[in-house]
Amino acid sequence: MNAKSTPTQRAAHLRTQREAEGENVSHLSDLDLLNDHIEQRAAEQIDTRDRYMGLLRDQRLHGERVRAAANQAFKERIQIIAAGAVERQLRELGRLVSAVEALPAQPKPERIDRVREVASSVKHMLRLLGEDSTEWKLDNNYDLVQAARTVIGVLKARDGIPADEVIRLVGEALTPNGNLRDLFTVADSGALKPEFARQQPSFLGPDWADRNGHYAYEPAGTGARVVAFNLGNAWYLDLYSPTGALLAYGQTTELQVAHLAAALVAAAPDMVGDGAHAWMRFERTVTRLMQATAA
């Protein structure tokens, strides 16, 4: 069928196609069949637009949560640094206050000179604290923790590295300002452990295929297809008809993907021509699955 087809030819093609899909349209006239087709296409366009607008919203919310977590960690670190800086400044000022408080009512010249020395030392230290950003760090513990995480992460992901090399590398890497170059050089000589390769989801099995970024469930003989992909901790499922129409969509947990995908494919023939929205079809399938599981 092409753009030059007559309405009668289009109706005949649609009738043949829908009957081949198992739908009874003998009660529909050609005009009703064409109108019904237009209404279905319009509903599918609305569902598809709603589906991916919802996905964009979820992606935005996920990004906001990630940024919020990173900002919170950054703020906490800044607070620690600021508290350390204030503590150092107060400590220096405390030296001066203590020296002044220790002066007698009629101090001797040498005591006055001592207070002046303390004041000069405090002034010098405060200037250093303001100029040298390294003095604003509480200590090297934060850097050591980060280095430890790097060491553990690299060595844990590799196999075949001698134990004495591991001990040496950990000792060198965890020293203040330790050089991690040798760590990565030795780690690169080991083989990447299988468990640190890209993790496969638990629901993969027969009729599932890895599509590099998403997973497709296509049981032979059904023509229907479920596309599964994750965002954060949620898994999103899209059910497509043999003609590529979006029949249902929604989200679930990884543990429920396999059962729900099979239920969606089984329900796909009943969804063709159903006037409900795609998200409603998904929720209806979830409800039926839960009822069947509880029975």
Side-chain angles (χ1 to χ4, degrees), residues 104-141:
Q106 295 181 343
K108 296 180 179 181
E110 57 268 20
R111 295 293 296 271
I112 298 295
D113 291 340
R114 176 56 184 162
V115 171
R116 288 175 177 170
E117 290 177 2
V118 173
S120 177
S121 173
V122 169
K123 183 179 179 180
H124 175 69
M125 291 302 300
L126 291 177
R127 188 180 72 253
L128 290 179
L129 289 174
E131 293 177 354
D132 190 354
S133 60
T134 60
E135 292 294 331
W136 287 67
K137 294 183 179 179
L138 282 175
D139 47 40
N140 288 322
N141 288 340

Side-chain angles (χ1 to χ4, degrees), residues 3-295:
K4 295 182 180 180
S5 301
T6 65
T8 301
Q9 291 173 327
R10 293 176 183 174
H13 177 79
L14 288 173
R15 192 179 300 278
T16 302
Q17 183 182 51
R18 292 176 66 166
E19 288 177 349
E21 293 174 354
E23 186 177 358
N24 182 15
V25 292
S26 59
H27 61 289
L28 295 177
S29 65
D30 287 353
L31 180 59
D32 291 337
L33 187 61
L34 290 171
N35 287 335
D36 184 64
H37 176 72
I38 293 173
E39 291 176 357
Q40 283 191 17
R41 296 291 83 79
E44 288 173 2
Q45 289 178 353
I46 293 173
D47 283 336
T48 301
R49 182 168 58 250
D50 290 346
R51 172 71 184 101
Y52 292 106
M53 287 300 292
L55 178 59
L56 290 175
R57 182 196 66 242
D58 291 343
Q59 287 179 324
R60 177 179 59 81
L61 294 175
H62 176 66
E64 290 176 353
R65 288 193 294 269
V66 172
R67 286 192 294 273
N71 288 338
Q72 180 62 30
F74 179 74
K75 289 178 181 178
E76 291 174 357
R77 180 58 184 162
I78 289 297
Q79 289 173 355
I80 294 174
I81 294 174
V86 172
E87 181 183 354
R88 280 183 167 84
Q89 291 179 344
L90 290 177
R91 187 185 306 132
E92 293 300 324
L93 293 174
R95 289 172 52 205
L96 179 58
V97 171
S98 298
V100 173
E101 287 180 341
L103 286 174
Q106 295 181 343
K108 296 180 179 181
E110 57 268 20
R111 295 293 296 271
I112 298 295
D113 291 340
R114 176 56 184 162
V115 171
R116 288 175 177 170
E117 290 177 2
V118 173
S120 177
S121 173
V122 169
K123 183 179 179 180
H124 175 69
M125 291 302 300
L126 291 177
R127 188 180 72 253
L128 290 179
L129 289 174
E131 293 177 354
D132 190 354
S133 60
T134 60
E135 292 294 331
W136 287 67
K137 294 183 179 179
L138 282 175
D139 47 40
N140 288 322
N141 288 340
Y142 179 80
D143 294 332
L144 289 177
V145 169
Q146 298 305 313
R149 290 176 177 173
T150 303
V151 171
I152 294 172
V154 171
L155 296 180
K156 189 177 180 181
R158 298 288 171 171
D159 203 358
I161 302 178
D164 57 344
E165 278 294 284
V166 172
I167 295 174
R168 180 183 67 82
L169 292 171
V170 170
E172 290 184 1
L174 297 187
T175 57
N177 301 318
N179 190 346
L180 302 182
R181 182 179 304 170
D182 290 345
L183 166 68
F184 291 103
T185 300
V186 175
D188 286 341
S189 66
L192 184 63
K193 292 184 179 180
E195 61 266 27
F196 283 86
R198 187 164 66 93
Q199 294 292 323
Q200 296 293 325
S202 59
F203 56 78
L204 288 188
D207 301 321
W208 281 95
D210 186 346
R211 302 299 188 193
N212 292 325
H214 68 275
Y215 302 88
Y217 178 67
E218 300 178 84
T222 62
R225 174 169 54 98
V226 171
V227 173
F229 54 95
N230 74 310
L231 180 62
N233 295 324
W235 279 88
Y236 293 79
L237 303 184
D238 291 348
L239 172 65
Y240 294 93
S241 72
T243 60
L246 180 64
L247 295 178
Y249 66 82
Q251 69 179 71
T252 185
T253 63
E254 182 176 342
L255 294 176
Q256 295 297 322
V257 169
H259 298 297
L260 190 50
L264 287 169
V265 169
D270 296 331
M271 295 182 185
V272 176
D274 186 341
H277 288 291
W279 67 268
M280 296 176 64
R281 298 171 187 155
F282 184 90
E283 294 298 329
R284 187 171 58 198
T285 305
V286 171
T287 301
R288 290 175 178 173
L289 180 60
M290 292 177 60
Q291 291 174 345
T293 304

